[in-house]
Amino acid sequence: MAAAAGGGGGGRPGLAELPGELLELILCCGVLGAADIGRVACTCRRLRDACQPRGKVWRECFRLRWPSLLKYYSHTDGVSWLEEYKARHNAGLEAQRIVASFSKRFFSEHVPCDGFSDIETLGCPSHFFEDELMCILNMEGRKGLTWKYYAKKILYFLRQQNILKNLKEYLQRPTDQQSFLEGAVLIDQYCNPLSDICLKGVQAQVDDITDKVRKVLRTKNPRHPSLASKAGEVLIPEVELQRQVLDAMNCVLYEQLKYKGNELDYYNSLNSYIHQVLIRRTGIPISLSVLYLTIAGQLGVKLEPVNFPSHFLLRWCQGKEGSTDIFDYTYIDAFGKGKQLTVKECEYLIGHHVTEEFYGVVTSKEVLQRMVGNLLNLGKRESTDQSYQLLRDSLDLYLAMYPDNVQHLMLQARLYFHLGIWPEKVLDILQHIQALDPSQHGAVGYLVQHTLEHIERRKEEVGPEVKHRSDEKHKEVCFSIGLIMKHKRYGYNCVIYGWDPACMMGHEWIRNMNVHSLPHGPHQPFYNVLVEDGSCRYAAQENLEYNSEPREIPHPDIGRYFSEFTGVHYLANTELEIRYPEDLELTRATARKIYSSGKE
């Protein structure tokens, strides 16, 4: 490198003797790494000047290594790209250290509330840390499954904490500064923290629809005030001009773009997420109403949200602005292709009479409350998600808005208790409930007692149980950790992540699952399996068989137990291998014997 910098033999010029533009081009070509540039900068004054910390060379080095981070630099003048490179590099090492430590610390239990404490006190910019987590998640191939599993958990936590902070700031603003669209995006982001959802992106899609409405409007009325450059900043006073806007909106949304209410799959949570509504062009009344009133507002038409029972609506004033007479309004059903309804038709819509109070306008906070309430109900209905993630997320959101709601605090405490997670947090919630409503002392006392017992049992736990296949009591165990299996009766695909020489469940479970009807009953090996539908099951040996066409099992907890998928079986990670030290070689041998096609 020094020879190249100062000039080679035979009269060839070195780097330092090249013209400035050519030198810069070479140093920025992407072939040289950060270490190479550092060494180049040490060779002579000219090359040191070419590689100055605030210059183009280090900026390009940073950009090529971490292109997604440039969006955080609105003004690049004066930025020391060398220092930024070092900071991002160190953040990456810190992120890798923390991710690597999680498997050993939390393999046997759910990551506790205080498990993220060292992340909350990071000494580096959070976006650097998050970027490294995304790099881990985006690693190609079927390796690094355990790293990906914990990187996802950490990223989920970090982003949700930030979104909660943004939601609380949103709720503290004056009502007229609380955009319904922004509120919907915050809910969407919190429930989907790993998705790339941002207000700017969602707003751009809404703006695109608004532009389409303007084009239709222009063909009907070229002089319409909504076509002015600053339309939306001033409301259109004439009802007939407002009607033209709504007609154009209905034409674009429901005829051109084919938006519609999702009647066939009404209880799908995707209907509640505004970015999914825009992608799938379908939703439920409240999500479609948020989209509808946002577009109308951008075109100078004021619509207001109505918390109508069973079916969210919008209202459009036909009389004096601010009228309290419900008959001065036309009601709009965004779920029903923008149909305009009278008071009587609103009642026909839901099949019964309602009092006037249900026709009144509601605040943005009340709209969010209803959106979160819908997600809460969906979370209670879900049966396949054994982690109840949607219910947990929607409870977090509800309690961020109404932190002293005893009913939802109790539901949260019961949920964590049922899942066996975060017992210390359960006690804090119960203490808060008792302070808010002493009449809950019976339910609170019961949960406190059993939570304390859970904490004591956890303290008494010794190290992990190690199961050696060579033990005489394990001689009947035929299958091993990591093998892809198929259930003979139910046909589901699964992977083994644990086994017992006999059924270890209680008498009630054995009776309910009708285990005694099996030829070998409970006196045979039983296996813990991760199933492709996301569930975890306990299956009898006689009900399992090798899968003739092994494939990856799309289970959210796969990385908790396995580090890699070889193509025919999974490799146990370090923590699982400690518990089943003799299974790995058996799994490999079994896979070679069964799958002789050379997949492994």
Side-chain angles (χ1 to χ4, degrees):
M1 183 68 73
R12 289 176 298 171
L15 279 175
E17 298 166 358
L18 293 174
E21 290 184 5
L22 181 58
L23 175 60
E24 195 173 75
L25 186 65
I26 293 172
L27 293 174
C28 293
C29 68
V31 175
L32 301 177
D36 296 324
I37 293 174
R39 285 191 287 269
V40 166
C42 294
T43 56
C44 69
R45 179 177 296 178
R46 181 155 190 263
L47 291 178
R48 183 175 68 245
D49 292 341
C51 301
Q52 58 181 301
R54 302 178 191 278
K56 183 179 178 180
V57 172
W58 275 110
R59 181 186 185 280
E60 191 64 10
C61 186
F62 185 92
R63 185 191 71 82
L64 291 171
R65 182 68 180 83
W66 300 293
S68 64
L69 291 177
L70 282 188
K71 63 186 177 184
Y72 294 101
Y73 301 90
S74 55
H75 302 288
T76 58
D77 293 340
V79 175
S80 175
W81 294 105
L82 173 58
E83 293 306 313
E84 293 298 292
Y85 192 101
K86 290 178 180 178
R88 171 58 183 86
H89 176 73
N90 291 333
L93 295 177
E94 181 68 2
Q96 292 173 25
R97 181 191 67 79
I98 291 175
V99 170
S101 74
F102 263 54
S103 180
K104 185 173 183 179
R105 292 161 60 194
F106 305 124
F107 178 83
S108 300
E109 62 172 335
H110 192 279
V111 180
C113 293
D114 58 359
F116 299 103
S117 57
D118 49 354
I119 298 170
E120 295 178 292
T121 56
L122 286 172
C124 62
S126 60
H127 59 281
F128 283 177
F129 190 84
E130 285 191 21
D131 188 66
E132 182 64 28
L133 296 176
M134 286 302 301
C135 288
I136 293 171
L137 286 174
N138 293 330
M139 285 192 303
E140 294 184 4
R142 299 160 169 176
K143 297 183 178 181
L145 299 181
T146 299
W147 273 50
K148 292 177 182 178
Y149 174 78
Y150 287 106
K152 182 177 179 179
K153 282 192 173 296
I154 296 168
L155 189 59
Y156 206 96
F157 169 81
L158 285 174
R159 290 192 173 174
Q160 283 197 327
Q161 291 299 107
N162 191 49
I163 296 162
L164 269 188
K165 177 183 175 183
N166 293 339
L167 176 61
K168 290 174 182 176
E169 291 175 352
Y170 168 90
L171 294 171
Q172 289 172 356
R173 295 183 209 156
T175 305
D176 60 351
Q177 296 178 23
Q178 294 177 345
S179 151
F180 293 105
L181 186 66
E182 183 180 357
V185 168
L186 286 167
I187 290 174
D188 192 346
Q189 288 175 325
Y190 192 82
C191 294
N192 303 283
L194 301 184
S195 299
D196 186 16
I197 306 164
C198 66
L199 178 59
K200 185 178 180 181
V202 171
Q203 184 65 62
Q205 294 179 69
V206 174
D207 290 344
D208 185 57
I209 299 174
T210 305
D211 288 340
K212 287 180 170 64
V213 176
R214 285 197 178 99
K215 289 180 181 178
V216 171
L217 199 55
R218 185 174 287 109
T219 64
K220 305 293 184 182
N221 183 356
R223 300 173 64 86
H224 197 284
S226 290
L227 302 177
S229 59
K230 295 191 176 181
E233 294 182 12
V234 180
L235 295 177
I236 301 169
E238 295 86 354
V239 171
E240 181 54 36
L241 291 175
Q242 293 179 19
R243 189 183 305 279
Q244 292 175 11
V245 170
L246 298 182
D247 288 345
M249 283 176 55
N250 291 343
C251 174
V252 171
L253 281 171
Y254 304 112
E255 295 177 24
Q256 293 184 9
L257 300 179
K258 307 298 182 185
Y259 275 79
K260 62 180 179 179
N262 196 345
E263 296 177 344
L264 297 178
D265 194 14
Y266 190 89
Y267 295 104
N268 188 329
S269 61
L270 297 182
N271 295 325
S272 294
Y273 303 139
I274 193 67
H275 88 283
Q276 288 290 348
V277 171
L278 290 164
I279 292 171
R280 300 162 72 237
R281 300 187 181 184
T282 188
I284 53 176
I286 193 167
S287 57
L288 289 170
S289 292
V290 168
L291 175 61
Y292 197 98
L293 73 84
T294 301
I295 296 170
Q298 293 184 178
L299 293 167
V301 179
K302 181 180 180 181
L303 300 180
E304 298 173 302
V306 177
N307 216 359
F308 206 66
S310 305
H311 198 106
F312 200 87
L313 297 172
L314 300 169
R315 74 179 192 181
W316 169 34
C317 186
Q318 307 287 287
K320 184 180 179 181
E321 185 178 353
S323 172
T324 57
D325 186 345
I326 64 172
F327 295 98
D328 281 344
Y329 294 87
T330 292
Y331 299 87
I332 297 176
D333 180 12
F335 185 82
K337 298 187 176 182
K339 185 177 180 181
Q340 296 173 10
L341 308 170
T342 64
V343 169
K344 185 58 67 177
E345 287 172 330
C346 290
E347 294 181 351
Y348 289 151
L349 185 66
I350 61 173
H352 61 85
H353 172 72
V354 295
T355 56
E356 289 193 8
E357 63 182 296
F358 289 103
Y359 291 90
V361 66
V362 289
T363 65
S364 54
K365 184 177 181 180
E366 289 169 315
V367 172
L368 296 194
Q369 178 186 355
R370 181 150 173 176
M371 295 183 83
V372 172
N374 288 337
L375 291 170
L376 267 169
N377 291 329
L378 292 176
K380 293 174 185 177
R381 293 165 62 103
E382 285 191 351
S383 56
T384 57
D385 181 11
Q386 296 182 348
S387 70
Y388 292 92
Q389 191 63 56
L390 178 57
L391 181 56
R392 287 157 58 184
D393 289 343
S394 49
L395 275 172
D396 288 344
L397 288 167
Y398 196 97
L399 291 169
M401 294 187 287
Y402 303 96
D404 294 335
N405 186 288
V406 171
Q407 177 186 354
H408 289 87
L409 283 167
M410 183 62 78
L411 176 58
Q412 189 177 60
R414 290 183 185 279
L415 177 60
Y416 293 160
F417 177 78
H418 167 75
L419 294 173
I421 62 174
W422 300 343
E424 290 80 7
K425 185 171 183 178
V426 171
L427 293 178
D428 290 340
I429 296 169
L430 294 172
Q431 185 178 14
H432 186 42
I433 293 172
Q434 187 64 36
L436 292 170
D437 185 2
S439 68
Q440 297 286 334
H441 65 88
V444 168
Y446 173 85
L447 286 173
V448 166
Q449 177 186 343
H450 286 81
T451 301
L452 289 173
E453 291 174 359
H454 171 73
I455 292 173
E456 288 302 314
R457 285 196 302 272
R458 194 175 63 181
K459 289 179 180 177
E460 294 170 0
E461 290 177 357
V462 292
E465 179 185 3
V466 178
K467 296 180 179 179
H468 293 277
R469 304 190 69 87
S470 54
D471 287 357
E472 180 66 20
K473 61 182 178 180
H474 298 153
K475 65 179 182 179
E476 300 297 327
V477 179
C478 296
F479 308 131
S480 54
I481 300 297
L483 288 174
I484 310 296
M485 311 298 291
K486 193 176 190 70
H487 197 280
K488 295 178 181 177
R489 182 175 179 184
Y490 299 118
Y492 61 72
N493 299 306
C494 59
V495 57
I496 296 171
Y497 72 96
W499 50 256
D500 296 310
C503 183
M504 301 300 290
M505 301 299 281
H507 295 297
E508 184 177 354
W509 185 90
I510 291 173
R511 183 176 62 254
N512 291 339
M513 300 302 293
N514 204 22
V515 173
H516 286 292
S517 66
L518 297 172
H520 298 287
H523 306 296
Q524 62 175 310
F526 269 69
Y527 298 85
N528 301 101
V529 295
L530 300 177
V531 184
E532 58 191 343
D533 66 2
S535 64
C536 305
R537 304 191 189 184
Y538 196 50
Q541 180 165 279
E542 65 184 83
N543 281 337
L544 294 177
E545 62 183 356
Y546 296 120
N547 196 314
S548 59
E549 297 180 352
R551 56 178 181 266
E552 287 186 84
I553 303 298
H555 194 284
D557 284 344
I558 202 79
R560 179 177 179 181
Y561 304 100
F562 302 103
S563 61
E564 180 183 345
F565 180 63
T566 67
V568 293
H569 68 84
Y570 280 93
L571 295 180
N573 61 22
T574 303
E575 297 306 313
L576 188 61
E577 191 175 356
I578 288 173
R579 290 154 176 79
Y580 298 90
E582 297 171 2
D583 272 45
L584 180 58
E585 287 307 315
L586 179 61
T587 297
R588 283 174 167 157
T590 302
R592 281 194 293 269
K593 180 179 179 182
I594 298 172
Y595 311 113
S596 56
S597 60
K599 288 183 183 179
E600 188 175 12

